[in-house]
């Protein structure tokens, strides 16, 4: 009896890339493309429990692939999400994996790397593309020591927002760097101000910098 094909959905707002990826995957043995979506709403509508793996871009027009990943994994815990994006910064990798992605590839990945990534996450493994893995290893072997976590009352995501706020970034820039929607960033900033007991961003920035957040505060 033949083994069932891996059923894949491709979520990307660029039709040329999405259709090209669907064509590539459809040519591979044991992989079947069963859904495509260009934004969060269609992804949530078209992806169900029959899908094994989602190839997810992080930028879906006005939507965030991070939030879409989180929503899909929350609704379908057995779903494997493999991010494929142009973003190779550490913040995007961490945000994607925290949202529930099992793998992270760059769009420069070869067809063989994409196929290997799909088969790996479908098998329950985690996988990082070569460039992403190299950056992760560099971080792990850089000799950094553990430090006290400032503002333990904040969630990790809220602390990341506060750090960027302390650098002088506005909400639009924070949203872009964290691959979140502006509305989500506004909500996080509001929560941070409430938890820190400060009236505005300026006071939050002062408190954050007193605790060592914000880097050099070079802003935009």
């Amino acid at each position: 009896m033949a083994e069932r094909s891996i059923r894949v959905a491709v979520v990307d707002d660029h039709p040329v890339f999405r259709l090209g990826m669907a064509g590539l995957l459809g040519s591979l043995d044991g992989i079947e493309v069963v859904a495509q979506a260009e934004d969060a709403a269609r992804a949530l509508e078209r992806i169900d429990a029959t899908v094994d793996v989602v190839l997810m871009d992080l930028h879906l027009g006005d939507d965030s692939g991070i939030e879409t990943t989180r929503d899909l994994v929350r609704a379908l815990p057995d779903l494997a999400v493999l991010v494929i994006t142009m973003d190779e910064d550490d913040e995007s990798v961490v945000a994607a994996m925290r949202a529930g992605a099992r793998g992270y590839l760059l769009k420069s990945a070869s067809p063989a790397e994409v196929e290997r990534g799909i088969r790996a996450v479908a098998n329950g493994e985690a996988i990082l593309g070569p460039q992403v893995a190299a950056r992760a290893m560099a971080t792990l072997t850089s000799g950094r020591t553990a430090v006290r976590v400032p503002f333990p009352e904040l969630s990790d995501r809220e602390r990341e927002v506060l750090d960027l706020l302390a650098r002088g970034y506005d909400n639009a820039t924070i949203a872009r760097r964290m691959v979140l929607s502006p509305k989500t960033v506004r909500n996080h900033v509001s929560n941070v101000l409430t938890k820190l007991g400060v009236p505005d961003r300026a006071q939050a920035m002062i408190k954050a910098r007193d605790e060592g957040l914000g880097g050099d505060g070079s802003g935009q």
Side-chain angles (χ1 to χ4, degrees):
M1 183 175 178
E3 188 175 340
R4 185 175 73 85
S5 294
I6 299 171
R7 296 165 63 87
V8 178
V10 182
V11 182
D12 196 293
D13 67 332
H14 289 91
V16 172
F17 181 86
R18 187 177 68 250
L19 293 170
M21 180 60 69
L24 167 67
L25 299 180
S27 71
L28 301 175
D29 290 337
I31 293 178
E32 178 185 4
V33 177
V34 295
Q36 297 183 43
E38 62 271 31
D39 56 30
R42 289 171 177 80
L44 295 171
E45 173 188 311
R46 297 171 184 172
I47 296 171
D48 57 24
T50 65
V51 176
D52 302 308
V53 176
V54 175
L55 274 188
M56 176 71 70
D57 188 16
L58 292 187
H59 300 282
L60 304 174
D62 293 332
D63 298 326
S64 164
I66 297 291
E67 294 178 71
T68 306
T69 294
R70 184 179 293 110
D71 290 341
L72 284 171
V73 172
R74 185 180 294 124
L76 303 165
D78 293 332
L79 185 67
V81 176
L82 175 61
V83 168
I84 183 160
T85 180
M86 298 293 292
D87 297 334
E88 57 181 304
D89 58 283
D90 296 339
E91 292 94 340
S92 295
V93 177
V94 171
M97 302 309 276
R98 282 178 175 166
R102 293 187 192 171
Y104 198 105
L105 299 179
L106 299 183
K107 285 189 173 180
S108 57
S110 69
E113 289 170 343
V114 174
E115 179 181 3
R116 183 164 59 249
I118 288 173
R119 296 190 189 281
V121 299
N123 195 43
E125 302 170 28
I127 189 167
L128 298 177
Q131 299 100 316
V132 178
R135 287 174 63 92
M137 287 303 298
T139 299
L140 290 172
T141 59
S142 64
R144 297 176 184 171
T145 55
V147 296
R148 181 179 65 86
V149 176
F151 306 113
E153 67 270 29
L154 301 181
S155 68
D156 289 343
R157 178 59 55 81
E158 290 166 348
R159 198 174 297 107
E160 291 174 41
V161 169
L162 178 60
D163 180 64
L164 293 174
L165 185 155
R167 299 186 199 186
Y169 294 125
D170 59 19
N171 284 3
T173 304
I174 294 173
R176 189 164 58 250
R177 289 178 66 90
M178 294 185 67
V179 201
L180 296 172
S181 70
K183 179 181 178 182
T184 297
V185 171
R186 287 196 299 272
N187 290 339
H188 283 314
V189 170
S190 177
N191 290 339
V192 167
L193 298 182
T194 299
K195 290 183 179 181
L196 296 187
V198 295
D200 53 38
R201 297 170 69 98
Q203 292 300 311
M205 181 183 294
I206 292 171
K207 291 194 71 167
R209 289 184 176 176
D210 285 344
E211 288 292 324
L213 296 182
D216 59 9
S218 57
Q220 301 174 59

